Amino acid sequence: MLDFKIAQQVKANTDFCHILGVQAKDKKVLHKNWPKEIQNIAQKYPILKEFKGEEGEIYTVFDKEQNPIIIMGLGEKIKKEQLKRNIATAFKNFEGQKVDSALIYLDTFAAEEIKKVDEMAELFVEAFALTDYKFNLYKSKQTKEKKKTIVLNSSQKIATASIKAAQQTAECINLSRDLSNKAPNELDSVSYAKLLEQDAKKLKNVKIKILKKSEIVKEKMGLLLSVNAGSSKEPRFVHLTYIPKKKAKNSKHIALVGKGITFDTGGYNLKPSTSIAGMKFDMAGSSTVYGAFRAAVLLESPHTISCIIPLTDNAIGPTATTPDSIIKGRNGKTVEILNTDAEGRLILADALDYTCDLKPNYIIDAATLTGACLVALGTEVCAIMSNNNDLTQKLKESAQNAGEYLWELPIIEEWKKDIKSKVADIKNIGGNRNAGTPKAAAFLQEFIKNDIAWAHLDIAGVADNQSHLPYCPANGASGVMIKSLINFLMK
Ligand code: BES
Ligand code: ZN
Ligand code: ZN
């Protein structure tokens, strides 16, 4: 638990962990903006003479009372994202200290894209709150987390609204991480839908509609039902709508769609032991869009936002759909199921068709859709595929501002042809293993109607285990791409 406070002048002699930044251009070790007390202390540390203020350099020294002082190098021209990572490292350092309060000298920090002290304060709040995230739900011994106070100190005035917004953003990303980290025996389609309902009920200006199996049947969502066929749980279809109180001139209707496979066994195309563990994260698309939706509601986005989440597991059993089955989707197209492990595209297909009927200006889906995405772009980069260049550019800009990597892959005619079936309209896998990620996108595009601008984010690589990002837990759900979506929803 972190408690953030704003202060304009604090005496640097209380029980704080002091956190300061040094830019390389301030050749002298001691920064001109540092409080005198800290300068005096720092002078006593010969080791600090070596300190060049290079990016990534972090030193911890102690004052007379053994209060830690963390000094961070910022280099020549640090980028915001790089600073965010360094702040996360500094937070971990502070966590290891005895004191429970930190005092941040915001005036000693600078970053290339940051113009106002408010933005610097936001960066600290967000980075601290994201790094503070722990998932201990299933530990029988619950250790009580100590409350930590973080004082943001600047000679300039910091708006409390900025702090609050950054806290809400981090809270939504952490809530999304919680959802993804839940064990699949606990978070199934039915319990997950209930959980979303309970949470969304607390949000203002949000309407909730949750379709049960009988209603999903009435909607003719044959593809979602086919994935659910082997399950002991009913499917659910979550439809949330946020209508802003205050619309702006540029107000749009944006629809988010998230893959909600609560566990992916692969079905009859059963996954091997080496790749089945971790498939509880196959609902990360849904938790990503819900996290972004929730934040946009709290931050009062000017846009109407729909959040659509099809939910089921992909189970194996006597009633499960077999390969070679041919299933009709909600849009009337028939699909030859050649691989039951390519199930994400099936549930998204019906969800996308349903979403098109809402006539939004934009549809953005997020899904842990293909293992091939990790081959193409590794575990650090999210793939984007779209039918609309303008939307792609807007999303890339939003990702750039969030410090998240987003890279476009094409959907070429040849790949659209490759998913045509001899016996049905289309088939759910391509003719070979090549270009698995964009071929999955070509499949999804079959379910976009009326030329609605649509973009598909394949988050298979980035959804979990982002150990290279200091503000993400080394294992488990990352929450990566939520900030990008929030940026898009708030523009
Ligand atoms: N959920 C998986 C994709 C995945 C793999 C996500 C690894 C995260 C990590 C998806 O449903 C799947 O199994 N896709 C298949 C598609 C194939 C059968 C065309 C895959 O990637 O192997
Ligand atoms: Zn699968
Ligand atoms: Zn899957």
Side-chain angles (χ1 to χ4, degrees):
M1 256 287 284
L2 301 181
D3 186 18
F4 292 96
K5 291 203 168 104
I6 295 171
Q8 260 181 309
Q9 276 313 322
V10 181
K11 265 211 150 304
N13 57 4
T14 30
D15 295 343
F16 282 118
C17 170
H18 306 272
I19 302 179
L20 305 106
V22 180
Q23 286 172 274
K25 70 176 164 56
D26 297 314
K27 284 278 186 290
K28 272 192 286 160
V29 165
L30 300 182
H31 194 288
K32 58 183 184 318
N33 289 339
W34 288 13
K36 260 267 145 347
E37 298 92 320
I38 301 277
Q39 291 203 24
N40 292 339
I41 295 159
Q43 250 154 4
K44 293 186 190 125
Y45 281 86
I47 192 169
L48 283 178
K49 297 226 166 67
E50 319 267 307
F51 188 87
K52 294 185 185 66
E54 270 168 20
E55 195 242 290
E57 265 185 298
I58 293 194
Y59 278 84
T60 309
V61 296
F62 296 87
D63 69 9
K64 279 204 298 292
E65 282 85 35
Q66 290 304 300
N67 289 319
I69 304 168
I70 298 175
I71 301 168
M72 297 165 59
L74 305 176
E76 294 292 340
K77 231 185 179 185
I78 195 166
K79 293 241 183 228
K80 190 166 124 183
E81 170 63 14
Q82 210 47 47
L83 178 56
K84 185 177 173 185
R85 295 181 190 188
N86 287 327
I87 291 171
T89 306
F91 178 79
K92 286 180 185 167
N93 190 323
F94 157 59
E95 262 189 319
Q97 307 291 341
K98 274 187 269 166
V99 287
D100 294 324
S101 306
L103 178 58
I104 300 160
Y105 297 87
L106 284 177
D107 296 347
T108 66
F109 288 91
E112 208 179 312
E113 305 94 324
I114 293 183
K115 304 275 176 290
K116 291 191 295 188
V117 67
D118 283 349
E119 295 167 42
M120 189 59 82
E122 279 173 36
L123 191 73
F124 267 93
V125 172
E126 213 181 293
F128 269 37
L130 290 177
T131 314
D132 190 42
Y133 177 80
K134 311 266 176 323
F135 186 72
N136 295 327
L137 185 64
Y138 299 113
K139 294 282 186 196
S140 49
K141 256 206 198 119
Q142 291 283 330
T143 44
K144 210 170 172 312
E145 288 285 324
K146 266 204 203 150
K147 194 171 107 179
K148 295 194 184 72
T149 305
I150 315 295
V151 182
L152 301 152
N153 183 43
S154 169
S155 56
Q156 291 161 271
K157 219 170 154 35
I158 304 166
T160 44
S162 299
I163 307 294
K164 194 171 167 208
Q167 273 182 294
Q168 286 172 323
T169 299
E171 176 197 287
C172 291
I173 294 173
N174 287 340
L175 180 127
S176 165
R177 287 169 167 178
D178 268 347
L179 291 171
S180 295
N181 283 330
K182 287 219 158 133
N185 53 318
E186 191 174 298
L187 194 88
D188 56 55
S189 46
V190 177
S191 63
Y192 188 10
K194 242 185 232 143
L195 230 159
L196 291 177
E197 185 179 18
Q198 290 307 319
D199 188 71
K201 255 190 204 163
K202 294 182 240 152
L203 302 173
K204 279 189 204 144
N205 309 316
V206 170
K207 282 193 276 189
I208 307 167
K209 188 165 148 187
I210 295 176
L211 309 189
K212 295 209 166 101
K213 185 172 178 181
S214 57
E215 293 155 302
I216 293 169
V217 170
K218 263 191 215 140
E219 282 286 340
K220 300 200 168 96
M221 294 188 182
L223 294 168
L224 170 58
L225 291 164
S226 80
V227 176
N228 181 252
S231 178
S232 60
K233 299 276 173 357
E234 279 199 7
R236 288 289 182 268
F237 192 90
V238 178
H239 176 179
L240 310 172
T241 317
Y242 160 75
I243 299 172
K245 260 227 167 89
K246 278 183 256 152
K247 285 201 182 171
K249 255 198 194 138
N250 69 337
S251 279
K252 296 269 194 286
H253 178 186
I254 303 164
L256 303 176
V257 183
K259 172 177 173 183
I261 293 288
T262 56
F263 194 83
D264 184 7
T265 68
Y268 274 109
N269 293 91
L270 187 63
K271 282 187 185 290
S273 327
T274 45
S275 55
I276 200 165
M279 278 302 141
K280 68 169 184 177
F281 296 119
D282 215 19
M283 40 58 75
S286 68
S287 67
T288 296
V289 297
Y290 185 68
F293 173 82
R294 192 180 193 273
V297 173
L298 295 177
L299 301 174
E300 298 177 13
S301 162
H303 306 297
T304 295
I305 309 170
S306 300
C307 181
I308 308 291
I309 299 176
L311 288 172
T312 179
D313 57 349
N314 183 23
I316 188 167
T319 57
T321 302
T322 55
D324 283 347
S325 296
I326 294 175
I327 312 282
K328 191 179 268 187
R330 185 180 184 273
N331 73 348
K333 287 189 186 177
T334 53
V335 180
E336 183 186 11
I337 312 289
L338 286 176
N339 191 320
T340 58
D341 197 12
E343 84 300 336
R345 64 197 75 186
L346 301 176
I347 69 165
L348 286 176
D350 281 342
L352 288 171
D353 182 63
Y354 175 98
T355 307
C356 285
D357 285 345
L358 307 174
K359 299 193 165 51
N361 300 97
Y362 300 118
I363 300 178
I364 302 159
D365 79 67
T368 48
L369 207 62
T370 61
C373 195
L374 284 88
V375 180
L377 294 173
T379 53
E380 297 88 355
V381 180
C382 175
I384 179 168
M385 288 139 281
S386 171
N387 62 357
N388 186 291
N389 198 37
D390 177 53
L391 176 59
T392 303
Q393 292 318 314
K394 284 191 165 83
L395 280 165
K396 281 176 78 169
E397 213 175 281
S398 302
Q400 168 95 34
N401 288 337
E404 295 176 327
Y405 297 119
L406 186 61
W407 194 259
E408 188 183 8
L409 301 177
I411 308 176
I412 60 173
E413 288 306 312
E414 286 84 339
W415 297 335
K416 289 182 189 171
K417 274 195 200 120
D418 191 47
I419 55 156
K420 298 285 176 213
S421 160
K422 287 199 176 74
V423 288
D425 296 333
I426 48 174
K427 54 189 187 200
N428 78 331
I429 54 169
N432 58 40
R433 290 164 57 90
N434 300 339
T437 303
K439 279 179 189 171
F443 181 91
L444 295 181
Q445 199 177 349
E446 292 281 340
F447 298 86
I448 301 295
K449 55 193 174 196
N450 308 328
D451 287 328
I452 296 179
W454 152 81
H456 159 59
L457 307 181
D458 195 329
I459 60 166
V462 299
D464 62 306
N465 298 351
Q466 296 289 286
S467 55
H468 58 287
L469 296 174
Y471 53 82
C472 288
N475 303 295
S478 68
V480 164
M481 291 321 288
I482 301 178
K483 177 76 180 176
S484 299
L485 288 174
I486 298 173
N487 285 349
F488 180 83
L489 296 171
M490 294 310 296
K491 245 200 248 160

